[in-house]
Amino acid sequence: MRQVTINDIAKLAGVAKSTVSRYLNGGSVGQATRDKIERVIEETNYEPNQFAQSLKSKQTKMIGVIVPRLDSYAASRTMMGIDEHLTERGYQMLVVNTAQQTEREIEQLYNLAKQKVAGIIWLGTTVTPRHLQAIQDIQIPVLLIGQEHKNVHSLIYPDFDAAYALGRQFMDWGHRDVLYVGVEEYDIAVGQARRDGFLRAFQEAGANVKTYTTTFKIEDAIPVGEQIAREASSTLIVCATDNIALGVLKGLANGGKTVPTDVSVSGFGGYDFTEVLHPSLTTVHLPYRRTGAKAADMILQLLTADVIPMKTFTTFELKLRESVDILN
């Protein structure tokens, strides 16, 4: 069945299209004309195109979401939480991917503003002066997830505290010869906060630590695992993400090493499938889906000018499983 349009309503009510448009947008319309339009709308079950209306009124019920990667487990679970909560509140999510390119992040801040989104949720990796300038220029609410800056409302994972807690657990289990596999420092949360939390725990216990650097991709961590299998004799490999841990596990297997008999391995993130691996992966669980819902709630609060803290922390949970051996 063809969708009823404003033109149809105008013809059936015997009024001009502009009059129907003015009625739908809350403008001044005489009572007799209003009655005719309302009667036709009721008889035809007409539903206004909210997107088109909002474009004309320069307001949308759209929230832009900037993500660094579409194939990221963390990003996909976070977006699920955002979408579910926004839908409940009558909003829609408009997702843009930046492929982990800073220039594209900045461009998308401006592009989303041009599309008249009501607010932006940004799953960031780094915050530069140009990001801050864009946020100032567009003059709409922006919420940053996973990173923090004093001038941007931020929803942050407790990366340092979680890494420190897991590192202390490993020290309590007797590990003193440790390899840490992380990412570049440009990512403040993963590249710096997680690393610093682990290193603090290891240093307090007097552990010997060697560090390796890779990317977020599983395939790039596989050769690191192969190199470790050839060269290292440490008891524990601590990885900055679960994806890195998966790559390291594959590389160790390629090199003939068994986990945890020959060496223990841990991850960070708490992806669902890490529980069904063999051996199941010791990791930190971060509540990505709940964080997405919290982010959606916070951006809607910002839209109504509610006062919220500039920095809000989420929670974490240690998942102590089979991939890390207890030495004492």
Side-chain angles (χ1 to χ4, degrees):
M1 182 180 296
R2 186 175 69 85
Q3 185 175 356
V4 178
T5 67
I6 290 181
N7 280 333
D8 297 327
I9 300 298
K11 289 179 181 178
L12 291 170
V15 299
K17 177 182 174 182
S18 59
T19 304
V20 177
S21 179
R22 188 165 63 251
Y23 164 82
L24 292 173
N25 287 299
S28 176
V29 177
Q31 188 59 50
T33 301
R34 178 180 296 274
D35 291 342
K36 287 192 292 183
I37 294 172
E38 289 177 349
R39 184 173 64 253
V40 172
I41 287 175
E42 183 177 350
E43 291 173 351
T44 58
N45 294 316
Y46 171 73
E47 293 185 3
N49 183 327
Q50 289 187 346
F51 183 69
Q53 278 188 287
S54 60
L55 286 177
K56 291 178 181 178
S57 64
K58 297 186 179 182
Q59 295 178 347
T60 71
K61 303 266 295 190
M62 302 284 287
I63 300 295
V65 179
I66 300 175
V67 298
R69 291 168 49 203
L70 291 176
D71 61 349
S72 162
Y73 175 90
S76 65
R77 299 290 291 182
T78 304
M79 286 189 289
M80 289 172 66
I82 293 171
D83 181 61
E84 289 168 356
H85 195 77
L86 288 179
T87 300
E88 291 174 358
R89 301 288 295 276
Y91 283 77
Q92 289 182 298
M93 178 175 71
L94 178 60
V95 179
V96 292
N97 173 43
T98 64
Q100 295 180 300
Q101 296 178 24
T102 298
E103 194 63 34
R104 285 180 62 176
E105 283 186 338
I106 296 165
E107 289 175 0
Q108 292 297 358
L109 285 166
Y110 287 110
N111 289 339
L112 287 170
K114 290 176 183 177
Q115 296 183 63
K116 302 183 178 68
V117 297
I120 296 173
I121 298 174
W122 169 27
L123 281 65
T125 55
T126 185
V127 182
T128 69
R130 292 183 63 210
H131 286 103
L132 298 175
Q133 185 61 55
I135 291 171
Q136 180 178 332
D137 289 344
I138 62 179
Q139 290 293 299
I140 60 176
V142 174
L143 175 69
L144 178 59
I145 298 182
Q147 307 288 341
E148 65 175 291
H149 192 279
K150 64 181 181 179
N151 296 329
V152 185
H153 285 92
S154 307
L155 179 57
I156 312 159
Y157 296 109
D159 291 285
F160 180 92
D161 291 344
Y164 179 79
L166 188 58
R168 287 299 307 173
Q169 184 65 69
F170 295 152
M171 296 300 97
D172 291 345
W173 284 349
H175 291 278
R176 291 296 183 273
D177 194 351
V178 182
L179 299 178
Y180 178 74
V181 186
V183 298
E184 297 288 351
E185 292 186 359
Y186 73 86
D187 188 306
I188 304 301
V190 181
Q192 295 184 35
R194 290 185 193 178
R195 178 204 61 195
D196 292 350
F198 280 122
L199 293 183
R200 171 74 65 82
F202 302 153
Q203 289 163 358
E204 287 179 355
N208 175 47
V209 184
K210 182 178 180 180
T211 61
Y212 292 78
T213 302
T214 184
T215 73
F216 287 90
K217 297 179 180 179
I218 294 174
E219 56 265 33
D220 290 336
I222 293 174
V224 176
E226 293 172 341
Q227 180 182 353
I228 292 171
R230 290 192 305 268
E231 301 175 355
S233 58
S234 300
T235 65
L236 172 66
I237 305 169
V238 177
C239 301
T241 74
D242 285 350
N243 272 354
I244 292 174
L246 293 176
V248 167
L249 286 170
K250 177 62 176 176
L252 291 171
N254 291 346
K257 298 294 184 180
T258 302
V259 176
T261 305
D262 296 322
V263 62
S264 295
V265 177
S266 74
F268 200 110
Y271 303 171
D272 290 344
F273 56 80
T274 59
E275 187 173 4
V276 298
L277 294 175
H278 182 69
S280 56
L281 186 66
T282 290
T283 186
V284 173
H285 173 72
L286 298 176
Y288 297 116
R289 195 162 180 165
R290 290 204 308 273
T291 298
K294 176 66 174 176
D297 185 59
M298 290 174 67
I299 196 68
L300 295 182
Q301 286 180 283
L302 289 174
L303 295 186
T304 56
D306 286 355
V307 177
I308 66 173
M310 291 300 294
K311 181 165 59 177
T312 302
F313 282 99
T314 64
T315 59
F316 71 90
E317 181 182 359
L318 301 186
K319 297 292 186 179
L320 307 177
R321 299 177 178 141
E322 300 165 343
S323 67
V324 176
D325 205 359
I326 301 175
L327 302 184
N328 54 19

